[in-house]
Amino acid sequence: MQHINIQEVQELITGKPAQSKELIAKHIYTAEELFNLKIKEIPFLWQNLVAQTGLCCLTGSSDCNKSTLLRQLALEIALESEEFLGFKLNAKHNKVIYVSTEDDANSIGALIGKQFVEGLPVKALGNIRFLFSTANLIKELHDMLAEQLVDLVIIDTWTDTFQGDINQSNRVRMNFEQFKNLSMKFGCAFIFVHHQGKASEGNAPSKNNLLGSQGIEAKMRTVIELRRDKTASNRRLMTVVKGNYTNDNLKGKPFVLELNEQVMLFGRRADVDSSLLSLDFNPVNKKYNKDEILKVAIPLRSKGVSFEKTLVQLEEQFGKEVPSLTTLKNWFTEQSVSQPPSK
């Protein structure tokens, strides 16, 4: 595979060495310029999974160790590893920015210490920058990338950085467009951690399981789903459910990962009989009861409680087995009670 980074693209087009870390601002090309790039295949950062530029999403339930997987990916890039979980790494800068909205500096420090009890090379430790504040996130990322180029930016989790209704497609797409512009400008990949709709957790792996607007999935070049295997507590199933540039023979196929819970590091099992995996998905067999849910939800909505806060109270009463926010809204629409009555 031929790999051409953004700096090489600029030099091919202009005939001059690239000077700025903001490597390419050009957004209009002739067909001749594109042909002369001589790019035969899409360059990947994480082979067949994450392209060197563009937006990707890692999704799954809240307890399947998505953050653990991405922290390990960041560390493997910083360590200049040649592969991760059996897929080749093609890092150019061996640097990562990790935006953490759910963990603080103390918890991340403890986790890194647990993963690498013997320590890490000083150079590798300096290759990952953790950002714990999302105020003015786009500007701060722009300034960090202008100061030092990286291979990957991880946003964990995206919903904590988004102001608005995640079911509004136009707002969602506008938000992701800002990250896409940074990706193109600085030649790096973005991976967003995002949750699944609770009502879809029993479904087969699918890009449609993402919580919120279809615009989220539409803006992603790759969507990877991580879930627990019900037959083994330390086993996770990683499935590419959308891959614009991924080989078709890798899509929809669960890759089996095993988590070493003592050091919180993943390894990949190369050959596992598919009959051993827990793939008994049944999207029809929901554990929640619609009538019972509405019996609690309707009085809350009649008092002016928002859908979001209503869902929180439902989770407190029924646990995780409640419908998604979108499903709940649809139920109210069907009954023509989506708005609380005027007083």
Side-chain angles (χ1 to χ4, degrees), residues 75 78-79 112-113 115-125 128:
L75 288 164
L79 286 166
I112 292 176
Q115 289 175 311
F116 298 93
V117 293
E118 296 181 0
L120 284 168
V122 174
K123 180 180 178 181
L125 289 172
I128 306 175

Side-chain angles (χ1 to χ4, degrees), residues 59 196 200 203-210 217 223-225 227 239-242 252:
T59 186
Q196 290 179 328
S200 67
N203 296 355
S206 170
K207 62 185 180 181
N208 298 319
N209 292 340
L210 289 171
E217 173 266 315
V223 178
I224 299 172
E225 181 179 307
R227 65 171 62 196
T239 309
V240 179
V241 295
K242 176 183 177 178

Side-chain angles (χ1 to χ4, degrees), residues 325-338:
L325 183 62
T326 301
T327 299
L328 184 64
K329 288 181 177 180
N330 289 339
W331 286 354
F332 273 80
T333 300
E334 292 169 4
Q335 298 200 12
S336 300
V337 292
S338 58

Side-chain angles (χ1 to χ4, degrees), residues 74-108:
L75 288 164
E76 295 292 348
I77 291 173
L79 286 166
E80 302 183 15
S81 300
E82 294 184 357
E83 62 88 29
F84 177 49
L85 300 178
F87 297 94
K88 185 179 179 183
L89 289 174
N90 302 301
K92 294 184 178 298
H93 311 290
N94 299 109
K95 292 179 173 60
V96 178
I97 294 173
Y98 198 117
V99 180
S100 178
T101 67
E102 296 185 341
D103 295 303
D104 60 16
N106 290 330
S107 57
I108 294 292

Side-chain angles (χ1 to χ4, degrees), residues 58-73:
L58 177 65
T59 186
S61 62
S62 59
D63 61 347
C64 63
N65 302 102
K66 299 184 295 296
S67 299
T68 302
L69 179 67
L70 291 183
R71 280 195 302 269
Q72 189 176 349
L73 171 60

Side-chain angles (χ1 to χ4, degrees), residues 178 248 251 270:
Q178 298 177 90
D248 286 342
K251 296 178 187 177

